[in-house]
Amino acid sequence: MKMRIFVPRDAAAIAVGADEVATALEQVAAQRGLSIEIIRTGSRGLCWLEPMVEVATLKGRVAYGPVGPEDVASVFESMASNGSHPLQLGAADEIPWLKRQTRLTFARCGVIDPRSLDDYRTHGGYKGLARALSLGSDAILNEVTASGLRGRGGAGFPTGIKWKTVAQAKADRKFIVCNADEGDSGTFADRMIMEGDPFLVIEGMTTAGITVGATKGYIYIRSEYPHAVEAMNAAIAAAKRGGYLGDNIGGSSYSFDLEVRVGAGAYVCGEETSLLESLEGRRGLVRAKPPLPAHYGLFGKPTVINNVLSFAAIPFILAEGAKAYADFGMGRSRGTMPIQLAGNIRQGGLFETAFGVTLGELVDDIGGGTATGRPIRAVQVGGPLGAYFPRALFDTPFDYEAFAARDGLIGHGGIVVFDDSVDMRKQARFAMEFCAIESCGKCTPCRIGSTRGVETIEKIINGERVGENLALVEDLCNTMKFGSLCALGGFTPYPVLSALKHFREDFAPVPTTLQAAE
Amino acid sequence: MTAVYEPRYERWDETRGAEIIAEHSKQEGATLVILHALQAAFGYVPEAAVPMVAQALNLSRAEVHGVFTFYHDFRHKPAGRHVLKLCRAEACQAAGGDALAARAEAKLGVSLGSTTADDRVTLEPIYCLGLCATAPSAMFDGRLIGRLDERRIDALVAEAQR
Ligand SMILES: Cc1cc2nc3c(=O)[nH]c(=O)nc-3n(C[C@H](O)[C@H](O)[C@H](O)COP(=O)(O)O)c2cc1C
Ligand code: SF4
Ligand code: FES
Ligand code: FES
């Protein structure tokens, strides 16, 4: 029998040598005169074990990792002979880090061939759309609303309400837009799902289309994600061939078409109105709201704009019912969140779990502490606009409201771990610098305030009139918070003020941590 | 053996430029699509192409110029033979990216955002490649590299200088 070997084609796996491993496996097999089939999957999200390679056995898939090109010969030998190997991880599905998760959105990611529509369907794909087609618009809206799904792009707005607004709007054309700009450092879930299970995103967007009466959708993917662009384009072409995009979707009377558009390196274009401007071919200047995109969106038409993960949650909700989703979670945060563990972390990757897990469990227990082995000192949650949390706040549960109550945000679910060598003055400075680089320029507090912020924090770093300048930074932050049009200028104060508040010792004329290290 | 440099891009040519513009100008909101296509062909967006894009899309020159300058991706002149982009965002900073960026700058003798005098290497910052769990990360001529360390940075710099 032909051996079936699974090697990820996820960008993070490729970046650490997955392509070389695939090539080496073919060579070794050829030398041994054995015929193998290599299936390029997405990633299971255990990034510290990438490249993680699996072989199909009678007892399910057995994993090995991290496999370097130099390990390939011995790993192949072990696969062929069912023998043991130091890199063998046992049955893939039984790996504790995977088993502890609740994978609703990422159930297929890393398992199936993302280029194969058949594989997607065999693994339960398009069941949600089939049910949606039988339900009709009103009943779909009820399901999405009852699931409690809130937008996964950061703001946490209820998806059902957004869809309903667009469904009720009267217009000759409506649009579905998928926000795949994923600019937050520490986040990669959108990328992983687009590369590992792209039909899921298509199914979610198609469902949105039939619900609100839109026949055209765009996926706006950042240019830093060439592999995701390729994966989505391939899946769109396959879905068209298979009758899942175009006219008479799945044999119904509905039509829906999709197109990928690529961003051009502007963080602010992740903000929904800036993204719409960019899609229309203009500079990504943020629009004043109202009007909301739901009323006046792309090309002035009613538009559903959602994050990749919001669309990707939809097929499960429709296939299994709203309750099956809403049964997970806490408070007003229902369902699961694909959490991304990143930075200086021993076991980084994608961990999908119900809301409510604490920050401490995530970084200490699941993440296993830092990669450097030094103590964790600060954790930034929610990207460049998110607050830095000290250990004292590690009991915060992963939940929109709990983080907001502590002057933070969960954003798109990215968690970046820093060890005790971090200089929080530098992190505060960077937050301001990033805002200055990426500001769309429309409002003064953001454009000018961030540049002034960089200068002032630099003075603090140089020990110039520290007390006075600290007060000035706090003042600037307040101006930005209340005088900015969008959350780039409005939320940049979060990382800055949290650094000042929780790590004040770093901002003393001579940082005490430096003294201690001396 | 002396390496022969194979240019990755076409030389700017007005007819070819017009062809590329025409190929995409029927799409709704085509400006970014066209600028990307021009840069993919020529390695940058030649100044001469801006009025051509404006005319094809029935926009003012100023509008197209505004779009062109707003986005960090679009180049006003050709880059060096190789482009090394180092991720400078938070997750890569946490994983030791600052020191590696400084090392690359020192080895190449240029700071991030500039090109070596011999036009061999353009060194640029990039803000997140979505490889934040295998940080620090880089992109070298479109190829992704994770788990950067001193050895890997040195190898990349050497490859770029060849
Ligand atoms: C500066 C800025 C950047 C943003 N970047 C993203 C992004 O990359 N991806 C995203 O989905 N939402 C991003 N958002 C949030 C969007 O504006 C918007 O809330 C989201 O696309 C709505 O989709 P959702 O309801 O599914 O979350 C950003 C917001 C701001 C202010
Ligand atoms: S806050 Fe900044 S990014 Fe947002 S609209 Fe104002 S200038 Fe633009
Ligand atoms: S990029 Fe728009 S103000 Fe700098
Ligand atoms: S922060 Fe460097 S890859 Fe995400």
Side-chain angles (χ1 to χ4, degrees):
Chain A
M1 211 183 76
K2 211 177 201 178
M3 267 169 83
R4 301 182 77 220
I5 301 178
F6 303 83
V7 183
R9 68 185 320 151
D10 179 276
I14 288 175
V16 293
D19 285 348
E20 289 79 359
V21 168
T23 310
L25 277 167
E26 283 183 341
Q27 284 166 354
V28 175
Q31 281 162 14
R32 302 259 322 250
L34 287 171
S35 139
I36 63 168
E37 184 191 0
I38 294 186
I39 298 117
R40 300 300 300 265
T41 61
S43 167
R44 297 243 198 190
L46 292 77
C47 292
W48 77 100
L49 294 176
E50 293 291 1
M52 188 170 110
V53 177
E54 299 173 27
V55 62
T57 75
L58 292 174
K59 284 186 261 164
R61 278 155 67 164
V62 172
Y64 297 77
V67 179
E70 69 283 359
D71 304 314
V72 166
S74 63
V75 164
F76 185 81
E77 186 58 45
S78 157
M79 287 175 168
S81 65
N82 260 325
S84 65
H85 192 281
L87 296 179
Q88 205 199 74
L89 304 162
D93 291 330
E94 299 299 319
I95 297 174
W97 209 82
L98 260 179
K99 243 193 141 170
R100 286 177 74 173
Q101 303 187 36
T102 303
R103 287 204 161 197
L104 309 184
T105 296
F106 279 76
R108 273 176 298 259
C109 192
V111 178
I112 64 166
D113 174 358
R115 296 288 193 271
S116 166
L117 178 60
D118 285 343
D119 217 5
Y120 180 65
R121 295 194 49 194
T122 311
H123 286 79
Y126 280 117
K127 259 170 66 182
L129 184 71
R131 175 144 180 271
L133 286 170
S134 72
L135 285 177
S137 177
D138 287 344
I140 301 173
L141 288 172
N142 286 339
E143 286 283 302
V144 175
T145 307
S147 75
L149 176 67
R150 294 165 73 179
R152 300 291 186 238
F157 188 81
T159 305
I161 295 179
K162 189 183 278 188
W163 288 21
K164 191 170 183 179
T165 312
V166 179
Q168 288 171 342
K170 299 260 173 295
D172 57 339
R173 283 202 298 171
K174 298 177 183 178
F175 292 102
I176 307 297
V177 174
C178 177
N179 188 339
D181 201 49
E182 196 166 63
D184 291 358
S185 165
T187 69
F188 44 85
D190 295 350
R191 181 187 63 65
M192 268 186 65
I193 206 74
M194 287 191 285
E195 291 174 4
D197 199 6
F199 294 105
L200 182 68
V201 182
I202 296 175
E203 185 180 345
M205 292 184 72
T206 307
T207 307
I210 64 172
T211 308
V212 307
T215 53
K216 171 94 195 202
Y218 288 94
I219 308 179
Y220 185 93
I221 307 179
R222 63 201 298 258
S223 61
E224 292 85 348
Y225 283 2
H227 296 81
V229 170
E230 200 189 326
M232 285 310 316
N233 276 324
I236 288 170
K240 278 185 187 162
R241 284 195 304 271
Y244 282 97
L245 283 175
D247 292 332
N248 306 107
I249 287 163
S252 73
S253 59
Y254 293 99
S255 304
F256 190 68
D257 237 317
L258 269 181
E259 190 181 324
V260 169
R261 287 286 175 96
V262 181
Y267 176 76
V268 73
C269 287
E271 194 283 333
E272 57 187 10
T273 61
S274 166
L275 188 152
L276 295 174
E277 288 289 311
S278 185
L279 266 181
E280 291 180 18
R282 282 195 289 274
R283 306 163 64 190
L285 290 185
V286 172
R287 298 178 185 167
K289 284 186 275 195
L292 294 171
H295 292 124
Y296 189 90
L298 187 62
F299 304 114
K301 304 295 177 187
T303 300
V304 166
I305 175 163
N306 275 125
N307 174 251
V308 174
L309 298 180
S310 309
F311 285 120
I314 296 293
F316 175 90
I317 290 166
L318 282 157
E320 308 300 326
K323 187 170 178 302
Y325 192 77
D327 276 348
F328 294 101
M330 72 173 273
R332 295 205 294 117
S333 308
R334 307 313 313 173
T336 59
M337 184 73 191
I339 295 169
Q340 301 125 85
L341 300 171
N344 185 349
I345 191 157
R346 202 157 68 81
Q347 300 177 351
L350 185 123
F351 196 91
E352 181 176 353
T353 189
F355 285 95
V357 57
T358 68
L359 184 55
E361 283 173 77
L362 285 166
V363 298
D364 289 330
D365 184 16
I366 296 160
T370 64
T372 45
R374 301 173 66 109
I376 297 179
R377 177 143 186 263
V379 178
Q380 188 178 28
V381 184
L385 309 176
Y388 284 96
F389 278 67
R391 182 162 283 281
L393 298 182
F394 279 10
D395 61 344
T396 314
F398 214 80
D399 160 73
Y400 291 99
E401 280 68 39
F403 267 77
R406 289 181 161 179
D407 288 325
L409 48 100
I410 64 173
H412 185 50
I415 293 187
V416 176
V417 174
F418 291 78
D419 73 12
D420 62 350
S421 66
V422 67
D423 178 347
M424 294 307 293
R425 299 173 305 179
K426 270 170 76 178
Q427 299 315 121
R429 181 193 177 283
F430 178 77
M432 285 290 191
E433 188 188 358
F434 188 71
C435 181
I437 296 171
E438 301 296 340
S439 168
C440 87
K442 193 156 178 168
C443 34
T444 319
C446 169
R447 191 183 69 239
I448 310 286
S450 53
T451 304
R452 290 276 286 131
V454 174
E455 292 162 6
T456 314
I457 297 172
E458 239 148 46
K459 285 184 189 154
I460 296 170
I461 292 176
N462 295 331
E464 290 172 42
R465 292 185 315 215
V466 172
E468 238 171 89
N469 280 316
L470 280 172
L472 188 57
V473 169
E474 280 172 5
D475 219 42
L476 264 173
C477 281
N478 279 323
T479 310
M480 288 173 73
K481 247 186 185 172
F482 301 111
S484 297
L485 184 58
C486 86
L488 181 51
F491 286 13
T492 290
Y494 278 108
V496 178
L497 292 176
S498 61
L500 284 177
K501 181 172 172 191
H502 303 305
F503 304 92
R504 194 71 175 190
E505 62 275 20
D506 284 16
F507 296 83
V510 179
T512 45
T513 44
L514 271 188
Q515 285 177 333
E518 232 102 71
Chain B
M1 205 182 85
T2 41
V4 182
Y5 169 61
E6 303 268 359
R8 285 181 293 146
Y9 300 107
E10 305 168 37
R11 197 179 289 279
W12 164 248
D13 171 89
E14 202 178 306
T15 314
R16 178 82 182 101
E19 219 173 85
I20 292 169
I21 293 168
E23 198 181 315
H24 299 285
S25 58
K26 291 290 170 290
Q27 298 180 37
E28 270 184 294
T31 317
L32 266 81
V33 181
I34 293 176
L35 294 177
H36 270 308
L38 288 168
Q39 183 150 308
F42 305 114
Y44 70 113
V45 181
E47 194 61 48
V50 170
M52 294 167 63
V53 176
Q55 204 191 9
L57 300 181
N58 207 5
L59 299 169
S60 76
R61 257 169 103 136
E63 257 174 291
V64 177
H65 185 78
V67 175
F68 173 44
T69 52
F70 182 85
Y71 295 95
H72 300 298
D73 275 2
F74 299 128
R75 294 186 191 287
H76 302 237
K77 57 182 176 49
R81 291 177 186 182
H82 297 289
V83 179
L84 177 57
K85 299 184 184 189
L86 299 179
C87 177
R88 300 297 297 116
E90 290 93 332
C92 287
Q93 294 168 13
D98 294 2
L100 295 179
R103 189 177 176 95
E105 287 182 327
K107 293 226 163 214
L108 288 168
V110 290
S111 53
L112 283 169
S114 38
T115 302
T116 55
D118 59 5
D119 263 348
R120 272 180 205 271
V121 196
T122 297
L123 186 65
E124 285 178 341
I126 191 164
Y127 296 95
C128 196
L129 289 158
L131 311 174
C132 330
T134 46
S137 323
M139 193 186 242
F140 181 73
D141 293 344
R143 188 175 95 218
L144 295 173
I145 303 109
R147 292 190 195 129
L148 274 180
D149 52 19
E150 289 187 354
R151 192 177 54 82
R152 286 203 176 90
I153 272 283
D154 292 353
L156 281 174
V157 166
E159 188 179 346
Q161 284 170 327
R162 269 205 297 272

Short mmCIF file of all heavy atoms in Angstrom, two decimals, chain A residues 268 286 438-443 446-447 484-490, ligand 2:
data_model
loop_
_atom_site.label_atom_id
_atom_site.label_comp_id
_atom_site.label_asym_id
_atom_site.label_seq_id
_atom_site.Cartn_x
_atom_site.Cartn_y
_atom_site.Cartn_z
N VAL A 268 -3.66 50.63 8.85
CA VAL A 268 -4.96 51.28 9.09
C VAL A 268 -6.05 50.70 8.17
O VAL A 268 -7.23 50.79 8.46
CB VAL A 268 -4.84 52.82 8.94
CG1 VAL A 268 -4.69 53.24 7.50
CG2 VAL A 268 -6.03 53.52 9.60
N VAL A 286 -9.77 56.89 6.87
CA VAL A 286 -10.91 56.42 7.65
C VAL A 286 -12.11 57.35 7.39
O VAL A 286 -11.96 58.56 7.30
CB VAL A 286 -10.54 56.40 9.15
CG1 VAL A 286 -11.74 56.12 10.03
CG2 VAL A 286 -9.43 55.38 9.39
N GLU A 438 1.73 54.47 10.90
CA GLU A 438 0.53 53.93 10.24
C GLU A 438 -0.67 54.87 10.23
O GLU A 438 -1.69 54.55 9.62
CB GLU A 438 0.15 52.59 10.89
CG GLU A 438 1.24 51.53 10.81
CD GLU A 438 1.56 51.11 9.37
OE1 GLU A 438 0.73 51.34 8.47
OE2 GLU A 438 2.66 50.57 9.14
N SER A 439 -0.59 56.01 10.91
CA SER A 439 -1.71 56.95 10.93
C SER A 439 -2.17 57.28 9.52
O SER A 439 -1.36 57.50 8.63
CB SER A 439 -1.28 58.24 11.63
OG SER A 439 -2.24 59.25 11.41
N CYS A 440 -3.48 57.32 9.32
CA CYS A 440 -3.98 57.69 7.99
C CYS A 440 -3.87 59.19 7.78
O CYS A 440 -4.00 59.67 6.66
CB CYS A 440 -5.40 57.19 7.77
SG CYS A 440 -6.71 58.29 8.34
N GLY A 441 -3.66 59.92 8.86
CA GLY A 441 -3.40 61.34 8.74
C GLY A 441 -4.62 62.23 8.83
O GLY A 441 -4.52 63.45 8.73
N LYS A 442 -5.78 61.63 9.02
CA LYS A 442 -7.01 62.43 8.98
C LYS A 442 -7.19 63.31 10.21
O LYS A 442 -7.66 64.43 10.09
CB LYS A 442 -8.21 61.50 8.82
CG LYS A 442 -9.49 62.21 8.47
CD LYS A 442 -10.44 61.25 7.77
CE LYS A 442 -11.75 61.91 7.43
NZ LYS A 442 -12.54 61.06 6.51
N CYS A 443 -6.83 62.79 11.40
CA CYS A 443 -7.02 63.65 12.57
C CYS A 443 -5.73 63.98 13.30
O CYS A 443 -4.83 63.16 13.40
CB CYS A 443 -8.09 63.10 13.52
SG CYS A 443 -8.22 61.34 13.64
N CYS A 446 -4.04 61.94 16.44
CA CYS A 446 -3.37 60.72 16.05
C CYS A 446 -2.08 61.02 15.29
O CYS A 446 -1.01 60.52 15.62
CB CYS A 446 -4.32 59.86 15.22
SG CYS A 446 -3.58 58.47 14.38
N ARG A 447 -2.19 61.86 14.30
CA ARG A 447 -1.06 62.13 13.41
C ARG A 447 0.08 62.85 14.14
O ARG A 447 1.22 62.42 14.13
CB ARG A 447 -1.54 62.96 12.21
CG ARG A 447 -0.52 63.08 11.10
CD ARG A 447 -1.05 63.98 9.97
NE ARG A 447 -1.15 65.38 10.40
CZ ARG A 447 -2.27 66.09 10.39
NH1 ARG A 447 -3.40 65.55 9.98
NH2 ARG A 447 -2.28 67.35 10.79
N SER A 484 -9.62 61.20 18.74
CA SER A 484 -9.31 60.50 17.50
C SER A 484 -10.58 59.92 16.88
O SER A 484 -11.49 59.50 17.58
CB SER A 484 -8.32 59.37 17.75
OG SER A 484 -7.09 59.88 18.21
N LEU A 485 -10.57 59.86 15.57
CA LEU A 485 -11.73 59.37 14.84
C LEU A 485 -11.84 57.85 14.94
O LEU A 485 -12.91 57.29 15.04
CB LEU A 485 -11.60 59.82 13.37
CG LEU A 485 -12.75 59.51 12.42
CD1 LEU A 485 -14.05 60.13 12.92
CD2 LEU A 485 -12.41 60.07 11.03
N CYS A 486 -10.72 57.14 14.87
CA CYS A 486 -10.78 55.68 14.90
C CYS A 486 -9.88 55.14 16.00
O CYS A 486 -9.18 55.88 16.68
CB CYS A 486 -10.42 55.07 13.55
SG CYS A 486 -8.67 54.82 13.26
N ALA A 487 -9.90 53.82 16.14
CA ALA A 487 -9.19 53.19 17.25
C ALA A 487 -7.67 53.17 17.08
O ALA A 487 -6.97 52.84 18.03
CB ALA A 487 -9.71 51.78 17.47
N LEU A 488 -7.14 53.55 15.93
CA LEU A 488 -5.68 53.60 15.85
C LEU A 488 -5.17 54.70 16.78
O LEU A 488 -4.37 54.44 17.68
CB LEU A 488 -5.19 53.82 14.40
CG LEU A 488 -3.68 53.86 14.22
CD1 LEU A 488 -2.99 52.67 14.86
CD2 LEU A 488 -3.30 53.91 12.75
N GLY A 489 -5.66 55.89 16.58
CA GLY A 489 -5.29 56.97 17.49
C GLY A 489 -5.93 56.81 18.85
O GLY A 489 -5.34 57.13 19.88
N GLY A 490 -7.15 56.26 18.88
CA GLY A 490 -7.91 56.17 20.12
C GLY A 490 -7.41 55.12 21.09
O GLY A 490 -7.58 55.26 22.30
S1 SF4 C 2 -7.28 58.14 14.58
FE1 SF4 C 2 -5.50 58.15 13.20
S2 SF4 C 2 -5.84 56.45 11.80
FE2 SF4 C 2 -7.80 56.86 12.82
S3 SF4 C 2 -8.85 58.31 11.46
FE3 SF4 C 2 -7.70 59.56 12.88
S4 SF4 C 2 -5.70 59.92 11.85
FE4 SF4 C 2 -6.71 58.22 10.80
#
